[in-house]
Structure formats: structure tokens, C-alpha cells
Amino acid sequence: MSTERRKRRVFVKTYGCQMNVYDSDRMAEALAPHGYERAEAAADADLVILNTCHIREKATEKVYSDLGRLRDLRSERLAQGGGDMLLAVAGCTAQAEGEAMLDRAPYIDLVVGPQSYHRLPELLARRQREGKSQLDTEFPLISKFDELVRHVEAAPPSAFLSIQEGCDKFCTFCVVPYTRGAEESRPAAAVLAEARMLVQAGARELVLLGQNVNAYHGEAPEGGEWTLARLIRAMAEIPDLARIRYTTSHPRDMDADLIRAHGEIPALMPFLHLPVQSGSDKVLKAMNRGYTADDFRRIVDALRAARPDIALSSDFITGFPGETDEDFAATMRLVEDVGFAQAYSFKYSGRPGTPATGMRGQLKDAVKSERLAVLQALLEEQSTAFNRATVGRKTDVLLERPGRHEGQLIGRSPWLQAVHVSAVDLKVGDMATVEITACHPHSLAGVLALASSRSAAA
Ligand code: SAH
Ligand code: SF4
Ligand code: F3S
């Protein structure tokens, strides 16, 4: 073995939503000037960061079981005379549990909340100096985004861009307002600068992120505020940016201008993730969602009038406290009425500190599971029908990564479907025109239809 001092390596494991994926990259970027390269696996790393999710009980349990395994890995390595491995916990569980996390797992070196990760290098230095665990779960006044101006050499064809943090909606089941703090929009100029940088570094698609992204109201370049629709209109002017998406939206903030934008901006993709949670007005009220099932139906109608080929995706919770068979039947009716191309559905999970955990009418796990299975069968049927209907059609596919077979590339259709294409002449980052030839359970297969574009917007 070489006695030269090798570069330090950091492995970041990401749990939860796309905002955490974005944050993980930014944490790695913040550590790069301090000599950290990214490792492919925990076993190769000097620092392991778990960027955690707290949304459901299962997500939190997973963090603790992974932590136990990492502690063993670290002891084995030390026993064999290898170097130490520092363990850091970032993200939403870190924020929610804070000190309690160190009580339960005292071997953790750092606990850092989702708004303080720009302080990681400083916390690491302090950990080394003082030799004891460090905790930072403040919501600092200085935004992490201001602290970390971004520059990347190479961006993926589809890149995430967080434009807003936190949430002020306080749905009664949800931990996000407590783990991520108050809603805060980044200034439009900073977002546009990061967008241009990402496009210059190779991104052809940008996915604008926020837990409640359509409530965006960032400072405008010339004073006042921009809405999400205004920001998207400005972003669509960036040359070589072929596609724009945004997620996650709240039905309450789906305003007329944003709906209009779907009909007017070709780069805005015809696919929207719009979580509805339930089709029962009583349950929606108890959840504090601020709309009725018919409000949601009307929003969908307006979106389809503006952009007839728009496909919808959603989130559902089964077994919220007090949900009756009739309430659940209303959810099934809403799904039948709307028709979803894709969906995520979950059993209600009581979260510490949220109002819904104290509500009367908590349901048995068996009831939640049974309803979930019934709902998922219908959602699955709808998404299969949607995917089948694209067979025989020609569509643009942004090629995002190599496939398993020689010459095969995997990309996404405008409707976010994964498409496998044999395309020896093309490369990752190209936009191809593809004829869809077959539909598999979780992907489509296609063949190149025409001479496909390379770097020009398709
Ligand atoms: N900001 C988004 C969702 C964020 S969390 C929105 O408002 O829609 C992602 C999804 O997790 C939610 O849409 C919801 O369906 C689910 N979820 C959140 N808290 C949950 C809980 N306590 N139990 C079960 N599912 C939950
Ligand atoms: Fe949670 Fe509701 Fe905020 Fe979504 S809108 S993050 S579900 S509180
Ligand atoms: Fe999970 Fe936090 Fe995202 S709780 S879903 S990682 S905002």
C-alpha cells in the first residue's frame, strides 16, 4: 500500500425526495474545496453522510438500521488497522430528532439540518478539533443558497434545481413544515444564473424543485416578485434548454397564469405531479388541504383545456384518521374520473408532533393496507393503459443514461416515461425522435424514427 496521503473521500446516501437529491450534490460540492472527492460506496469513504427523510415512520427506521450497519463497518475497518470513517446525518430526520439522535446513536459525529449544510466544512473541522459530536439544526438567517454559489463542470441531461425551500401549508399529517422550516423562495436572478450555468454544463432539461413549488414568489430582478409562471417564461428563453418541469405542486396554488403557461410554453413538459391525497371532502378538510375534490377536478379540466396532451400524476394517502368506507369510495371515484398516468400511494403513517397523530378514529393497519391494495390496483391499471396508448406514436426522448445492452440508451418521453432505445449513433444528452414499439411494466421500448437532433433544441 502506498504511504502517500490519499485524497479524502465522501459518500453521500440520499433518502426521500428530489430536494434531498439536489442537497446531496450540493453538500458534496461544498466539501470539494476542502479536499473531498466523491466515493462510490461507504466502504471506500472517510466520511459518510446520510441525507435522511422523515416523511413516514418506515423512512426514519431505515436511517437507524443503516446507521447500525455503518457503525459495524467502521469498527471492522478500525480493527483491521484502516483509517477512521466519520458518520454524519443530514436532512429531515436530523432536523426533527436533533439531540435525540445523538442520545440514541452517540457514535454519530455530526448532525446537521437541511438548512445548515453550508456549514458542513466548519462543523467537520470542529469535530476534529474538539473530538466530540457536533449538532447544527438551526434555521440560519443566511440562506444556504446565498452561501453556496454553484459551479459545476458537467451537469446531467436532466438536472434538478431547487428554487424554494420549506413549506407553510401545515397539512395535518406532514412533518415537512417542521423539518424544512418556513417557505422561502430564492431570488429569480439567482435561479436564472444557476439555470444558465447548468445548461452551459450540459443540462437539456431542468426540473424546478420545491415542496410547494407553485407557491414560488421570489424576488424579481427589477424589484417586486415573480410567480412560478413568470420564472418559467424567463427560463424558457435560455438557448439550448429544451425542457422544463417543476415539482411538487399544491392544487391550491395552481393559478390561472400557471395553467395558461402550460398551453403557451412548448418547453414546459405536458406532465404534472399534483398530489390530491384523497377524494373525500371530509378527509381533505381534516388534512387541512384547502380544496375540495371538485376543486381538484376543475383544476384538471382547466389544465387539459390549456394543454390537451397533459398527463397527470398524484400522491394518495389511505387510512387517514376517520376515513370511512364511503370516504375511500370517494377517492376511488376521483381516480376513475381523472385518470392518472402515474401515482404514488401510501398508508397513513402517524408522525410525532403532527396534529393528525392525536385525531380520533385512527385506523388499524389492516384497513389501511386493504384500501391501499384496492387503490393501487386501479392506479396500476390506469398507468398501464396510459403507457400502452403511446405504443405506435412518435415522440421526443431525452437520452439520459446508457442501458444495459450494447448501443442501448435510456431516456424519458415528455410524459416522464422511461424509454429504452437502440441508438448506436447517439449519445447521452441527445434528443431523439423515437417511435414507441412496445410497452413493458415499467418502461417503453422504441426505435429511432428520424435523423435525431444532437445539441439543438428539439
Ligand atoms: N409537498 C407535497 C408532498 C410532500 S411529501 C404535497 O403537498 O403534496 C410526499 C407525499 O408523501 C405526500 O404527498 C403524501 O402523499 C405522503 N405523505 C406525507 N406525509 C405522510 C404521512 N404522514 N403518512 C403517509 N404518507 C404521507
Ligand atoms: Fe407537507 Fe402539505 Fe407542505 Fe406538502 S403542502 S410539504 S404535504 S405540509
Ligand atoms: Fe422526506 Fe424531507 Fe423530502 S421528510 S420527502 S426528505 S422534504
Side-chain angles (χ1 to χ4, degrees):
M1 242 225 247
S2 155
T3 49
E4 256 176 62
R5 187 175 162 74
R6 61 192 172 90
K7 274 201 105 163
R8 286 179 292 183
R9 307 230 274 161
V10 55
F11 176 70
V12 192
K13 174 160 182 182
T14 310
Y15 306 74
C17 63
Q18 289 113 321
M19 303 202 66
N20 262 13
V21 176
Y22 177 85
D23 285 352
S24 291
D25 284 345
R26 302 228 26 192
M27 282 192 264
E29 286 163 29
L31 289 167
H34 301 269
Y36 280 93
E37 278 173 2
R38 244 167 137 158
E40 293 292 319
D44 305 326
D46 309 284
L47 167 65
V48 175
I49 303 175
L50 301 185
N51 194 13
T52 59
C53 175
H54 203 56
I55 202 81
R56 285 168 288 275
E57 195 181 345
K58 254 196 199 151
T60 305
E61 278 169 8
K62 178 96 180 53
V63 172
Y64 280 106
S65 67
D66 285 355
L67 270 170
R69 258 196 302 278
L70 285 167
R71 181 191 48 186
D72 295 344
L73 184 68
R74 176 193 212 165
S75 321
E76 268 167 43
R77 198 200 288 178
L78 284 171
Q80 288 164 6
D84 196 8
M85 178 175 92
L86 293 181
L87 274 178
V89 183
C92 290
T93 307
Q95 186 63 43
E97 306 222 321
E99 197 79 56
M101 205 153 203
L102 289 176
D103 292 342
R104 185 163 161 189
Y107 52 87
I108 301 173
D109 298 287
L110 292 181
V111 175
V112 53
Q115 307 308 350
S116 343
Y117 61 57
H118 52 284
R119 298 198 201 140
L120 257 176
E122 179 195 324
L123 287 168
L124 271 171
R126 227 192 302 154
R127 158 69 184 76
Q128 301 297 52
R129 214 168 45 236
E130 296 173 11
K132 63 174 206 262
S133 304
Q134 302 290 322
L135 173 81
D136 187 347
T137 50
E138 299 283 299
F139 287 123
L141 288 172
I142 299 173
S143 153
K144 66 183 180 192
F145 295 118
D146 299 340
E147 291 280 302
L148 298 173
V149 175
R150 243 187 135 186
H151 181 78
V152 295
E153 294 300 327
S158 174
F160 290 145
L161 171 44
S162 279
I163 65 169
Q164 179 217 44
E165 264 295 331
C167 182
D168 291 338
K169 290 281 192 288
F170 290 94
C171 300
T172 53
F173 53 81
C174 182
V175 292
V176 171
Y178 313 99
T179 62
R180 293 260 165 182
E183 195 234 288
E184 191 199 328
S185 296
R186 294 178 66 188
V191 171
L192 287 172
E194 189 169 327
R196 283 191 208 99
M197 184 278 294
L198 288 166
V199 172
Q200 209 135 47
R204 306 285 317 273
E205 169 177 294
L206 293 177
V207 186
L208 310 182
L209 301 179
Q211 271 304 349
N212 194 185
V213 73
N214 55 342
Y216 176 86
H217 57 103
E219 186 189 318
E222 286 115 27
E225 280 184 352
W226 273 8
T227 59
L228 179 63
R230 182 69 191 83
L231 180 71
I232 290 172
R233 285 178 202 278
M235 204 166 276
E237 305 287 315
I238 299 176
D240 287 338
L241 177 58
R243 293 179 163 189
I244 301 170
R245 303 181 187 275
Y246 60 92
T247 199
T248 299
S249 296
H250 194 293
R252 239 199 287 180
D253 298 308
M254 229 35 242
D255 64 45
D257 192 28
L258 186 55
I259 293 175
R260 220 175 305 121
H262 277 276
E264 294 172 355
I265 303 172
L268 189 54
M269 288 293 100
F271 180 91
L272 183 64
H273 182 62
L274 195 61
V276 62
Q277 315 298 354
S278 167
S280 150
D281 291 345
K282 185 193 88 193
V283 172
L284 287 170
K285 189 155 197 278
M287 287 176 164
N288 190 32
R289 292 291 290 183
Y291 53 85
T292 64
D294 280 347
D295 291 337
F296 187 84
R297 286 182 177 89
R298 277 190 287 271
I299 294 166
V300 170
D301 289 346
L303 280 161
R304 286 182 170 149
R307 177 91 201 224
D309 67 341
I310 199 163
L312 289 154
S313 150
S314 203
D315 290 344
F316 297 87
I317 294 177
T318 64
F320 186 80
E323 184 188 73
T324 61
D325 285 338
E326 290 72 38
D327 293 320
F328 178 64
T331 299
M332 293 293 284
R333 261 197 317 277
L334 179 95
V335 174
E336 294 276 8
D337 290 350
V338 173
F340 292 95
Q342 195 193 302
Y344 301 91
S345 43
F346 313 96
K347 289 192 273 188
Y348 167 72
S349 167
R351 305 307 287 130
T354 60
T357 47
M359 286 181 184
R360 273 184 302 185
Q362 301 286 329
L363 296 176
K364 287 204 188 79
D365 191 62
V367 176
K368 299 182 202 174
S369 298
E370 195 193 316
R371 289 181 186 163
L372 185 69
V374 172
L375 174 65
Q376 285 182 340
L378 176 60
L379 291 167
E380 188 70 35
E381 205 178 283
Q382 292 190 342
S383 78
T384 307
F386 177 80
N387 289 335
R388 249 194 224 126
T390 52
V391 176
R393 279 216 232 157
K394 279 185 193 146
T395 182
D396 289 340
V397 173
L398 175 60
L399 301 168
E400 296 183 14
R401 59 196 161 95
R404 249 183 299 157
H405 307 294
E406 181 80 27
Q408 187 191 51
L409 291 169
I410 304 174
R412 298 248 174 213
S413 77
W415 306 281
L416 217 58
Q417 296 152 297
V419 185
H420 295 238
V421 203
S422 289
V424 256
D425 296 339
L426 295 177
K427 58 181 189 325
V428 167
D430 287 343
M431 187 75 76
T433 307
V434 172
E435 182 174 333
I436 306 298
T437 51
C439 167
H440 305 299
H442 299 286
S443 66
L444 302 172
V447 294
L448 284 186
L450 318 161
S452 296
S453 88
R454 302 235 157 162
S455 49

